[in-house]
Amino acid sequence: MNILFVHEIDWSTKVVFDFHLLIEEMVLRGHKVSVMDYRDKPQGLGTEHYLADSRTVEGLSVRLVRPGYLNIPGLKRLSYGVTSLVEANKTLQGLSIDIVVIY
C-alpha cells in the first residue's frame, strides 16, 4: 500500500516520538511510505525529495518530500501553503497514494 504522511515538523531534527515509530513500522511491514514534512531552513521555493535515515530502526530509510517556501515574515505561511498544496497533488498522482494521514 502507498501511504503519504503529512506532518508539521522537521523529520530529521525534532525529537523522536510515536509519529516516527508508526511510520517506520509501516515501512517494516512492506508498505511504501512517503512523509511530507516541514523543514526549518528552506532553500527557496524548490521541493526536496530524498531518502532519510530512520530515526528508530537502523538500516531503514523513509522517503521525504519537503516543499520549499519563502522565509519572509508575512509570506512564510502563505507560500508554504501554496507549495505544499502543489507538491501534495504531484505526490498523490505520481506515487498512486492509497491513504493520506495528516498528523
Side-chain angles (χ1 to χ4, degrees):
M1 186 174 304
N2 294 325
I3 304 168
L4 174 64
F5 281 85
V6 180
H7 201 19
E8 77 279 357
I9 67 164
D10 187 331
W11 170 272
S12 304
T13 61
K14 299 298 181 185
V15 66
V16 175
F17 62 104
D18 59 343
F19 173 74
H20 295 93
L21 296 168
L22 174 64
I23 290 171
E24 292 171 3
E25 182 65 30
M26 301 288 279
V27 172
L28 287 172
R29 291 176 183 245
H31 299 288
K32 294 180 183 175
V33 178
S34 298
V35 176
M36 182 179 293
D37 72 343
Y38 176 86
R39 58 183 165 181
D40 290 332
K41 297 175 184 166
Q43 304 296 320
L45 291 175
T47 298
E48 295 177 349
H49 295 263
Y50 63 94
L51 291 177
D53 291 333
S54 165
R55 299 294 304 275
T56 61
V57 180
E58 283 192 40
L60 190 69
S61 295
V62 175
R63 183 177 186 275
L64 284 184
V65 178
R66 290 185 157 175
Y69 58 90
L70 297 173
N71 199 8
I72 300 170
L75 294 177
K76 184 186 251 185
R77 289 184 186 263
L78 179 63
S79 65
Y80 183 73
V82 171
T83 57
S84 294
L85 183 60
V86 169
E87 195 55 43
N89 284 330
K90 285 182 190 176
T91 303
L92 289 171
Q93 294 172 4
L95 297 178
S96 300
I97 299 295
D98 299 312
I99 296 173
V100 177
V101 179
I102 300 174
Y103 194 84

